[in-house]
Amino acid sequence: MIFASDNWSGAHPAINEAMARESAGMAAAYGESVLDKAVEKRFDEIFERKVAVFFVGTGTAANSLAFAAVNRPGGVVLCHREAHVIEDECGAPEFFTHGARMAPVDGANGKIDPDNLRRELARFKPDFVHAGQPMAVTISQPGEAGTLYSAAEIEAIAAITHERGLALHMDGARFANGLVADGRSPADMTWRHGVDILSFGATKNGCWCAEAVVFFDPAKAEQFRYIRKRGAQLFSKTRFVAAQFMAYLENGRWLDMAADANRMADRLRAGLDASAAGRQAWPTRSNEIFAVFPRETAERLRAGGAVFYDWNAPHSMHNITGPDESLVRLVTSWSTSEADVDQFLALLGTL
Amino acid sequence: MIFASDNWSGAHPAINEAMARESAGMAAAYGESVLDKAVEKRFDEIFERKVAVFFVGTGTAANSLAFAAVNRPGGVVLCHREAHVIEDECGAPEFFTHGARMAPVDGANGKIDPDNLRRELARFKPDFVHAGQPMAVTISQPGEAGTLYSAAEIEAIAAITHERGLALHMDGARFANGLVADGRSPADMTWRHGVDILSFGATKNGCWCAEAVVFFDPAKAEQFRYIRKRGAQLFSKTRFVAAQFMAYLENGRWLDMAADANRMADRLRAGLDASAAGRQAWPTRSNEIFAVFPRETAERLRAGGAVFYDWNAPHSMHNITGPDESLVRLVTSWSTSEADVDQFLALLGTL
Amino acid sequence: MIFASDNWSGAHPAINEAMARESAGMAAAYGESVLDKAVEKRFDEIFERKVAVFFVGTGTAANSLAFAAVNRPGGVVLCHREAHVIEDECGAPEFFTHGARMAPVDGANGKIDPDNLRRELARFKPDFVHAGQPMAVTISQPGEAGTLYSAAEIEAIAAITHERGLALHMDGARFANGLVADGRSPADMTWRHGVDILSFGATKNGCWCAEAVVFFDPAKAEQFRYIRKRGAQLFSKTRFVAAQFMAYLENGRWLDMAADANRMADRLRAGLDASAAGRQAWPTRSNEIFAVFPRETAERLRAGGAVFYDWNAPHSMHNITGPDESLVRLVTSWSTSEADVDQFLALLGTL
Amino acid sequence: MIFASDNWSGAHPAINEAMARESAGMAAAYGESVLDKAVEKRFDEIFERKVAVFFVGTGTAANSLAFAAVNRPGGVVLCHREAHVIEDECGAPEFFTHGARMAPVDGANGKIDPDNLRRELARFKPDFVHAGQPMAVTISQPGEAGTLYSAAEIEAIAAITHERGLALHMDGARFANGLVADGRSPADMTWRHGVDILSFGATKNGCWCAEAVVFFDPAKAEQFRYIRKRGAQLFSKTRFVAAQFMAYLENGRWLDMAADANRMADRLRAGLDASAAGRQAWPTRSNEIFAVFPRETAERLRAGGAVFYDWNAPHSMHNITGPDESLVRLVTSWSTSEADVDQFLALLGTL
């Protein structure tokens, strides 16, 4: 009954097999092997266009180095007020950009509100050196709140972003879960609606350590080789990442795994809705659920073996919990079983 | 006949098996799993004392973050003039320390000369703010030139380093190869002779991606958890690194692999010495060899299938090559076979 | 009729005279002259205790380097959502701290609300590496909104700040104006109520270029000499700053100048209140006023020779202006005359 | 008898007068005043072409921000091994460039040897990400060793620099002293022979605090406004710098002052050559002299009231002093008198 995070899961057997298979013999290091190149081509197919793709080791690295690629002196990245890049990366985005500011934009359900984005951007007058200069907008899909931007919402944000000549970045730490929840193709989820750079995460969904930065506009990637190396993210044996991606993207495995995770989340959501012992904090999709439990219920669940984290309430909902309640996050993964979910719900008293 | 680098080798089957074995089930992320903790204990045993150990993804990260841990404003790291941290890390050490300077110290055979070190340090008067403040000395063992510091040499450098209150860091990207070449224990190679921090590399010697920063003085590690996370080097599924180290350090496997690599290098050295077609540039030990070939010999070897890199001459030996000669580097690895070496020597005309 | 900013004013004749007087002869550079030391002692007297004081060139430098002095990896500074350090320093605080985050705290009237501060800090669980680590709280006195914290408010914020072991920094770009408006002594405004570090600004109030970082806890200043030099803020001829401070602090000149500025602001406030052509956006003290004018009134004033800036509305008041209105800022200085104010009010139709 | 540094001198009366004159009334802040614009035009005249000029507060800032303007990820600046940017700026160049490396190039007399520069640059293979990427070459004119590059030497260095597409920067902390010593015009000393960016220093030569970054290629200055503000070097009352430059550049005052300083240095050199009590360490021009004295002579001079600094020997001359000798630096300034020099020489026993 581990619902702490999808990164508590291990790796899919097919991932391990691919790594074992590719471990034989010598191959060019630093991303130049035949396998590396073959996997880069797979990304072109997946996204239905030529992309520039760079493997890195962590989602934090993917986001931070992506910002570095489009940074300018006094640079500002606009993001949701509770974005992962603000709340959970220990200042890495600021560090890798030598101090670009992550400027918070409010919005319900963990999503940037386009009107607020427009208003925030209007605070930056062109050539007004004191305020710094916006250089990117970033959205998470799915977001930290377990919600999804619609195609129309992404388009609205992209329009505002591009109007100011900024780059639109998507944090896709759970990209596959978003695709499956929404039924959109990778291209539709990204560049066809205006996304310029994607942090493509696979670690949480059945890999060991496989993240990539995907540039839909190769011009933005011009200096990225140096940015990645200077950022200590150029692995020597990159084929260990390439091998993971190869197995991950093979025959729709990545989407199957994400679908499994999402299905378990749906089962959990249904159980929560049927229970009087807790409630969903807000509607979610994909594989994250936020619930409010009486504190003693949360303790009882934990005592029964369930593992999950307390969660900081969104700024706009800081009264979401009553005095004796906890806001918690429940995450399912590709390896969550029905038994895990049902055992949890049984503890909760739903089953 | 790949002698390009030991990081062109793959992973040892035992490494893959360990990863596959540990991939089942859920485990705490971010270094908190049972396996992570067990491997941390293994490091204590290996080094015969309590150490603070942190897994990271690349050798560049290990070195750079180690410097960050002991950095001060205007910090200066003294290193050999051709140290890896200067020549081959794209400025990462400077970047992760917000601009600490890597101050070059001359010395024969790729090793810091203690007299030169003392003279360089004397340039920094205490409290003279303009020069900045030294904060560490770093040595590579084995060094980039394929040579080894003796215990006495390390002690001499450590004495000078500690006299000024600085930290002594060892870049052990090929630590096992050095241990085996020298017959010393890990403790003797490091803290017993004054090393404070070690970059412990395993990737080049049969792992996929397994590097660690080892602090023999835990006080220096106090802020390292934040430094590592901010540096985007805290993997979520750290057990994939832990599993590699577990298998690596099991039953002396790491030393066996290093011994294999060194033995192949010895075979190559012997063949070179027996050949009239080239010469060793300088005496080496461990698994790196530097050779001078007539340019057409180098071309012929490459045409025959040998892979190796041209190398920048040390500053003090910039006339080492004649007008039609090349300086090249040859590296063996745990997976280099006798056949590889013999085929190379046959091409060279030795066999 | 210049109300653009108090930094549009020149320097007081006494400042120029002091500089001319001190320009004769040789004196030790880099802060070691007799004059430098004498002025440092003056700061001890002004603050009724031993302080560590460092001259720098800009208020941005004072704030940014102060944060650098107490920074930690993944550091976070809590500040008001519309603080100068966020809105008007082009990312310098983030830059000089290698990416510390300026975390916004909401609060009415440009002042941090203690409850909100407590709630924001509670988001940072001890040892939770992902969120980073708070290292300071900063308040502006007077604030960007022209308001003042009471002694009780500062004490409340200091208590919360120190409970978490953080440093409390005060941005005193207009410190003298705040002192005069509030009738408090420098010691009462700062360390007696818990302020640890002060950016002491004199430029806006009659100097050319005279800012200082004052540490009430000298331990926090230990590395500051290096931080300042590395930050390119160690002037060679520091006595040009010292001379300014000497004249500035002589016989209460600094408070007299600030009192003049504040009096002119009071006159302007009274005139605005008497006018039907505009309104104060919110109540202010000291020498800043925020007004809402019909856009055509603002244009008329400008056409008549008045100079002032449009201003971004606070986030919590983004509807403060009607569709055809502008929010503007009016600042008086030591050199603002009654005639300036009266001419402005005449244009407005008040006089 | 102060020969410690030219920055121990004060300011010329004409500088003070200009500041006093410009202190009256209001003027646009942040470089937008009428005076600022007029002085910018003066720079065009001085250099006989349109330049982009930016005032900053210190020479360290000028150099560091100039490098930031042309920086790239993993950037490398090639400079003389004993350049001021390496030896005396506390890591500021590395800090402001987020870790660009100052790569030392050897050369006699404090000057980069073109052959060595070519050899160093050859170590950086195009697209070899590990080594980083050179982005600039910097020379000091006059250099830290008190010597001057000839026009032909600058041209040779510029040719090598531009061949690799790099920027050539000149550190002109004592630019006027160099011009006067060499009899060249500002244009001839810089862009006509290939210099792209100049750190134009006036502080040491009779100003208080007046430094400028001059871009001969305005395209390189595109982001400089943001770089300067983020670097805390945008003064609010910039006219205090502009006023200094106005008086400095008026009627050749800057060259007259430099000529005075150089003349006093010549007098000192002549006296040293005539003395048996010490010797010039190497031939110098402009206003710096390096001398070797028996240690007891140095002590005697200091006891007699002379002030000067011991100096680190160049790496290539580390045996320049005998066991009981000191290498010292003597610097004259615009305000050094014949009496100062003669009194010093009398102490030395020459007069």
Side-chain angles (χ1 to χ4, degrees):
Chain A
M1 283 187 298
I2 306 289
F3 301 104
S5 179
D6 31 8
N7 60 31
W8 284 47
S9 68
H12 191 279
I15 302 291
N16 286 314
E17 281 157 29
M19 291 177 69
R21 191 171 56 241
E22 297 294 340
S23 72
M26 296 278 188
Y30 298 119
E32 300 300 320
S33 77
V34 173
L35 181 65
D36 285 294
K37 295 303 174 192
V39 175
E40 290 182 11
K41 280 225 174 59
R42 273 300 279 142
F43 274 85
D44 294 346
E45 293 164 19
I46 294 283
F47 285 101
E48 305 174 44
R49 64 172 288 166
K50 182 83 203 123
V51 300
V53 58
F54 298 86
F55 306 147
V56 296
T58 63
T60 296
N63 291 337
S64 300
L65 297 183
F67 298 152
V70 293
N71 197 22
R72 292 185 284 192
V76 175
V77 177
L78 292 104
C79 58
H80 189 267
R81 187 155 186 186
E82 283 97 27
H84 194 264
V85 293
I86 284 191
E87 300 257 299
D88 279 301
E89 298 188 336
C90 195
E94 291 91 343
F95 177 74
F96 281 93
T97 53
H98 334 299
R101 180 149 38 94
M102 303 294 113
V105 183
D106 290 310
N109 300 316
K111 298 191 287 185
I112 288 179
D113 179 293
D115 286 342
N116 287 343
L117 176 60
R118 197 182 291 282
R119 198 182 299 126
E120 279 301 322
L121 280 170
R123 299 176 80 87
F124 297 90
K125 314 295 182 241
D127 292 324
F128 184 69
V129 74
H130 306 274
Q133 45 185 344
M135 49 100 169
V137 173
T138 180
I139 54 176
S140 301
Q141 180 80 325
E144 282 65 40
T147 53
L148 283 167
Y149 287 93
S150 69
E153 286 171 330
I154 293 177
E155 253 178 26
I157 287 171
I160 297 166
T161 302
H162 294 154
E163 205 172 90
R164 283 289 292 253
L166 314 181
L168 181 57
H169 168 263
M170 179 180 277
D171 179 352
R174 297 184 174 94
F175 189 60
N177 301 92
L179 288 178
V180 165
D182 210 55
R184 273 186 272 172
S185 73
D188 280 337
M189 190 66 106
T190 56
W191 63 270
R192 282 218 185 98
H193 291 100
V195 173
D196 299 300
I197 313 176
L198 171 69
S199 292
F200 184 108
T203 304
K204 286 173 160 55
N205 189 36
C207 289
W208 275 127
C209 167
E211 304 284 322
V213 184
V214 181
F215 291 87
F216 300 111
D217 173 1
K220 293 197 163 57
E222 203 200 343
Q223 292 281 313
F224 200 78
R225 295 172 63 243
Y226 290 94
I227 289 171
R228 180 175 61 173
K229 173 64 189 172
R230 183 186 63 172
Q233 289 287 335
L234 177 58
F235 297 104
S236 54
K237 301 186 178 178
T238 38
R239 58 175 151 149
F240 94 92
V241 179
Q244 293 176 72
F245 272 126
M246 187 54 101
Y248 183 69
L249 298 173
E250 200 175 47
N251 298 325
R253 181 174 289 118
W254 61 311
L255 301 175
D256 293 346
M257 290 194 285
D260 284 347
N262 288 8
R263 196 159 40 240
M264 290 306 107
D266 287 341
R267 190 178 188 93
L268 195 48
R269 275 186 278 261
L272 274 170
D273 288 345
S275 164
R279 63 180 188 278
Q280 290 196 57
W282 54 82
T284 54
R285 296 169 68 188
S286 80
N287 65 323
E288 286 195 307
I289 300 163
F290 295 82
V292 177
F293 291 131
R295 214 163 282 164
E296 66 174 8
T297 303
E299 277 163 31
R300 189 165 48 78
L301 290 165
R302 281 172 171 140
V307 180
F308 51 86
Y309 286 121
D310 286 336
W311 207 249
N312 283 333
H315 285 82
S316 60
M317 302 176 83
H318 69 258
N319 290 322
I320 193 171
T321 50
D324 297 318
E325 290 183 326
S326 297
L327 174 65
V328 310
R329 187 187 70 162
L330 303 167
V331 191
T332 60
S333 85
W334 67 275
S335 69
T336 302
S337 68
E338 290 192 4
D340 288 327
V341 174
D342 292 351
Q343 192 182 350
F344 181 87
L345 294 174
L347 266 177
L348 191 64
T350 304
L351 290 183
Chain B
M1 284 185 300
I2 306 289
F3 300 103
S5 178
D6 32 8
N7 60 32
W8 284 49
S9 69
H12 191 280
I15 302 291
N16 287 313
E17 282 157 28
M19 290 176 70
R21 191 169 57 242
E22 298 294 341
S23 72
M26 296 278 187
Y30 299 118
E32 299 300 320
S33 78
V34 173
L35 180 65
D36 284 294
K37 295 303 172 192
V39 174
E40 289 182 11
K41 280 223 175 60
R42 272 300 279 143
F43 274 85
D44 294 345
E45 294 164 20
I46 294 283
F47 285 101
E48 306 174 45
R49 64 172 290 165
K50 183 82 204 126
V51 300
V53 58
F54 297 87
F55 306 147
V56 297
T58 63
T60 295
N63 292 336
S64 301
L65 298 182
F67 297 152
V70 294
N71 197 24
R72 290 185 285 193
V76 175
V77 177
L78 292 103
C79 58
H80 189 269
R81 187 156 186 185
E82 283 97 27
H84 194 264
V85 293
I86 284 191
E87 300 258 299
D88 279 303
E89 298 189 336
C90 195
E94 291 91 342
F95 177 74
F96 280 94
T97 54
H98 333 300
R101 180 148 38 95
M102 303 295 113
V105 183
D106 289 310
N109 299 316
K111 297 192 288 184
I112 287 179
D113 179 293
D115 286 342
N116 287 343
L117 176 60
R118 199 182 289 282
R119 198 181 300 125
E120 278 301 322
L121 279 170
R123 299 176 80 87
F124 297 90
K125 314 296 184 242
D127 292 326
F128 184 69
V129 73
H130 306 273
Q133 45 186 344
M135 49 100 169
V137 173
T138 181
I139 54 177
S140 300
Q141 180 80 326
E144 281 66 41
T147 53
L148 282 167
Y149 288 93
S150 70
E153 287 171 330
I154 293 178
E155 253 178 24
I157 288 170
I160 298 166
T161 302
H162 294 153
E163 205 172 88
R164 284 289 293 254
L166 315 182
L168 181 57
H169 169 263
M170 178 181 277
D171 179 353
R174 296 183 174 94
F175 189 60
N177 302 91
L179 288 178
V180 165
D182 209 55
R184 273 185 274 171
S185 73
D188 279 337
M189 189 67 107
T190 55
W191 62 271
R192 282 218 185 97
H193 292 99
V195 174
D196 300 301
I197 313 175
L198 171 69
S199 293
F200 185 107
T203 304
K204 286 174 160 55
N205 188 35
C207 289
W208 275 127
C209 166
E211 305 284 320
V213 184
V214 181
F215 291 87
F216 300 113
D217 174 1
K220 292 197 164 57
E222 203 199 342
Q223 292 282 312
F224 200 78
R225 296 171 63 242
Y226 290 94
I227 289 171
R228 179 175 60 173
K229 174 63 190 173
R230 183 187 62 173
Q233 290 287 334
L234 177 58
F235 296 105
S236 53
K237 301 186 178 178
T238 38
R239 56 174 153 150
F240 94 91
V241 180
Q244 293 176 71
F245 272 126
M246 187 55 98
Y248 183 69
L249 298 173
E250 203 174 43
N251 299 324
R253 181 173 290 120
W254 61 312
L255 301 175
D256 294 345
M257 290 193 285
D260 285 346
N262 288 7
R263 195 159 41 242
M264 289 306 107
D266 288 340
R267 191 178 187 93
L268 196 48
R269 275 186 279 261
L272 274 171
D273 288 346
S275 164
R279 63 182 189 277
Q280 289 195 59
W282 55 82
T284 54
R285 295 169 68 191
S286 81
N287 64 322
E288 286 195 307
I289 299 162
F290 295 82
V292 176
F293 292 130
R295 212 163 284 165
E296 67 175 6
T297 304
E299 276 163 30
R300 188 165 48 77
L301 290 165
R302 282 173 170 139
V307 180
F308 51 85
Y309 287 121
D310 287 336
W311 207 249
N312 283 333
H315 285 82
S316 59
M317 304 176 81
H318 69 259
N319 291 323
I320 194 171
T321 49
D324 296 318
E325 290 182 326
S326 297
L327 174 66
V328 310
R329 188 187 69 161
L330 304 167
V331 192
T332 60
S333 84
W334 68 276
S335 69
T336 303
S337 66
E338 291 192 5
D340 289 328
V341 175
D342 292 352
Q343 191 181 350
F344 181 87
L345 293 174
L347 266 177
L348 191 64
T350 304
L351 290 183
Chain C
M1 285 185 297
I2 306 289
F3 301 103
S5 179
D6 31 8
N7 60 32
W8 284 49
S9 69
H12 190 280
I15 301 291
N16 287 314
E17 280 156 30
M19 291 176 70
R21 191 170 56 242
E22 297 294 340
S23 71
M26 296 278 188
Y30 298 118
E32 301 299 320
S33 78
V34 173
L35 180 65
D36 284 295
K37 296 304 174 191
V39 174
E40 291 183 10
K41 280 223 175 60
R42 272 300 279 142
F43 275 85
D44 294 346
E45 293 164 19
I46 294 282
F47 286 101
E48 304 174 46
R49 65 172 290 166
K50 181 85 203 121
V51 300
V53 58
F54 297 86
F55 306 148
V56 296
T58 63
T60 296
N63 291 336
S64 301
L65 297 182
F67 297 152
V70 293
N71 197 24
R72 292 185 285 193
V76 175
V77 177
L78 292 104
C79 59
H80 189 268
R81 188 156 187 185
E82 282 97 29
H84 195 263
V85 294
I86 284 191
E87 300 258 300
D88 279 301
E89 298 188 337
C90 196
E94 293 91 342
F95 178 74
F96 281 93
T97 54
H98 334 298
R101 180 149 37 95
M102 302 296 112
V105 182
D106 290 310
N109 300 316
K111 297 192 287 185
I112 288 179
D113 179 294
D115 286 342
N116 287 342
L117 176 60
R118 196 181 291 282
R119 197 183 298 127
E120 278 301 321
L121 280 169
R123 299 176 81 88
F124 297 89
K125 314 294 183 242
D127 293 324
F128 185 69
V129 74
H130 305 274
Q133 45 186 343
M135 49 100 168
V137 173
T138 182
I139 54 176
S140 301
Q141 180 79 327
E144 281 66 38
T147 54
L148 281 168
Y149 288 92
S150 69
E153 286 171 331
I154 292 178
E155 251 178 25
I157 288 170
I160 297 166
T161 302
H162 293 154
E163 205 173 88
R164 284 289 292 256
L166 314 182
L168 181 57
H169 168 263
M170 178 181 277
D171 179 352
R174 295 184 175 93
F175 189 59
N177 301 92
L179 289 178
V180 165
D182 210 55
R184 275 185 272 170
S185 74
D188 280 337
M189 189 68 106
T190 56
W191 63 271
R192 283 219 184 96
H193 291 100
V195 173
D196 299 301
I197 312 174
L198 171 70
S199 293
F200 185 106
T203 305
K204 287 174 160 56
N205 188 37
C207 289
W208 274 129
C209 166
E211 305 284 321
V213 184
V214 180
F215 291 87
F216 300 110
D217 173 2
K220 294 197 163 56
E222 203 199 342
Q223 293 281 313
F224 200 79
R225 294 171 63 242
Y226 291 94
I227 289 171
R228 180 176 59 174
K229 174 62 190 173
R230 183 186 62 173
Q233 289 287 333
L234 178 57
F235 296 105
S236 53
K237 301 187 179 176
T238 38
R239 57 175 151 150
F240 95 91
V241 180
Q244 293 177 71
F245 272 127
M246 188 55 98
Y248 184 69
L249 298 173
E250 202 174 45
N251 298 325
R253 181 174 289 118
W254 60 312
L255 301 176
D256 293 345
M257 289 193 284
D260 284 347
N262 289 7
R263 197 160 39 241
M264 289 306 106
D266 288 341
R267 190 178 188 90
L268 195 48
R269 275 186 279 263
L272 274 171
D273 288 345
S275 164
R279 63 181 187 277
Q280 290 196 58
W282 55 82
T284 55
R285 296 169 68 188
S286 79
N287 64 323
E288 287 194 308
I289 299 162
F290 296 82
V292 177
F293 291 131
R295 212 163 285 165
E296 67 174 5
T297 303
E299 277 163 32
R300 188 165 49 79
L301 289 165
R302 283 173 171 138
V307 180
F308 51 85
Y309 287 122
D310 286 336
W311 207 250
N312 283 332
H315 286 81
S316 60
M317 302 175 83
H318 68 258
N319 290 323
I320 194 171
T321 49
D324 296 319
E325 289 182 327
S326 298
L327 174 66
V328 309
R329 187 185 70 161
L330 303 167
V331 192
T332 60
S333 84
W334 68 276
S335 69
T336 303
S337 67
E338 291 192 5
D340 289 326
V341 175
D342 292 350
Q343 191 181 352
F344 181 87
L345 294 174
L347 265 177
L348 191 64
T350 303
L351 291 183
Chain D
M1 283 186 298
I2 306 290
F3 301 104
S5 178
D6 32 7
N7 60 32
W8 284 49
S9 69
H12 191 279
I15 302 291
N16 287 314
E17 281 156 30
M19 290 176 71
R21 191 171 55 243
E22 297 295 340
S23 72
M26 296 278 187
Y30 298 118
E32 301 299 322
S33 78
V34 173
L35 180 65
D36 284 295
K37 296 302 173 193
V39 175
E40 290 182 10
K41 281 223 174 60
R42 273 300 279 143
F43 275 84
D44 294 346
E45 294 163 18
I46 294 283
F47 285 101
E48 305 174 45
R49 63 172 291 166
K50 182 84 203 121
V51 300
V53 58
F54 297 86
F55 306 147
V56 297
T58 64
T60 296
N63 291 336
S64 301
L65 297 183
F67 298 152
V70 294
N71 197 23
R72 290 185 286 194
V76 175
V77 177
L78 292 103
C79 58
H80 189 268
R81 188 155 185 185
E82 283 97 27
H84 195 263
V85 293
I86 284 191
E87 300 258 300
D88 279 301
E89 298 188 336
C90 195
E94 292 91 341
F95 177 73
F96 281 94
T97 54
H98 335 297
R101 182 150 34 96
M102 302 295 112
V105 182
D106 289 311
N109 299 317
K111 296 193 287 184
I112 288 179
D113 179 293
D115 286 342
N116 287 344
L117 176 61
R118 198 182 289 284
R119 197 183 299 125
E120 279 301 321
L121 279 170
R123 298 176 81 86
F124 297 89
K125 314 295 184 242
D127 292 325
F128 184 69
V129 73
H130 305 275
Q133 46 186 343
M135 50 99 169
V137 173
T138 180
I139 54 177
S140 300
Q141 180 81 323
E144 281 66 39
T147 52
L148 282 168
Y149 288 92
S150 69
E153 287 171 329
I154 293 177
E155 252 179 25
I157 288 171
I160 297 166
T161 303
H162 293 154
E163 205 173 88
R164 283 290 291 255
L166 315 181
L168 181 56
H169 169 262
M170 177 180 279
D171 179 352
R174 296 183 173 93
F175 189 60
N177 301 92
L179 288 178
V180 165
D182 210 54
R184 273 185 274 171
S185 73
D188 279 337
M189 189 67 106
T190 56
W191 63 270
R192 282 220 184 96
H193 291 100
V195 174
D196 299 301
I197 313 176
L198 171 69
S199 292
F200 184 107
T203 305
K204 286 173 161 56
N205 189 36
C207 288
W208 276 126
C209 167
E211 305 284 321
V213 184
V214 180
F215 291 87
F216 300 112
D217 173 1
K220 293 196 164 56
E222 202 199 345
Q223 292 281 312
F224 200 78
R225 295 171 63 241
Y226 291 93
I227 289 171
R228 179 175 60 173
K229 174 63 190 171
R230 183 186 63 173
Q233 289 287 335
L234 177 58
F235 296 105
S236 53
K237 300 187 179 177
T238 38
R239 57 175 152 149
F240 94 91
V241 180
Q244 293 176 72
F245 272 126
M246 187 54 98
Y248 184 68
L249 298 173
E250 203 175 42
N251 299 324
R253 180 174 290 118
W254 61 311
L255 301 174
D256 293 345
M257 290 193 284
D260 284 346
N262 288 7
R263 195 158 42 238
M264 289 307 107
D266 288 341
R267 190 177 186 93
L268 195 48
R269 275 185 279 262
L272 275 170
D273 288 346
S275 165
R279 63 181 188 277
Q280 290 196 58
W282 54 82
T284 54
R285 297 169 67 189
S286 80
N287 65 322
E288 286 195 307
I289 300 162
F290 295 83
V292 177
F293 291 130
R295 213 163 284 165
E296 66 175 5
T297 305
E299 277 163 31
R300 189 166 48 79
L301 289 165
R302 282 173 171 139
V307 181
F308 50 85
Y309 287 121
D310 286 337
W311 207 249
N312 283 332
H315 285 83
S316 61
M317 303 176 84
H318 68 260
N319 292 323
I320 194 172
T321 50
D324 296 318
E325 290 183 326
S326 297
L327 174 65
V328 309
R329 187 186 68 160
L330 304 167
V331 191
T332 59
S333 83
W334 67 276
S335 69
T336 303
S337 67
E338 291 192 4
D340 289 327
V341 175
D342 292 351
Q343 191 181 352
F344 181 86
L345 293 174
L347 265 178
L348 191 64
T350 304
L351 289 184

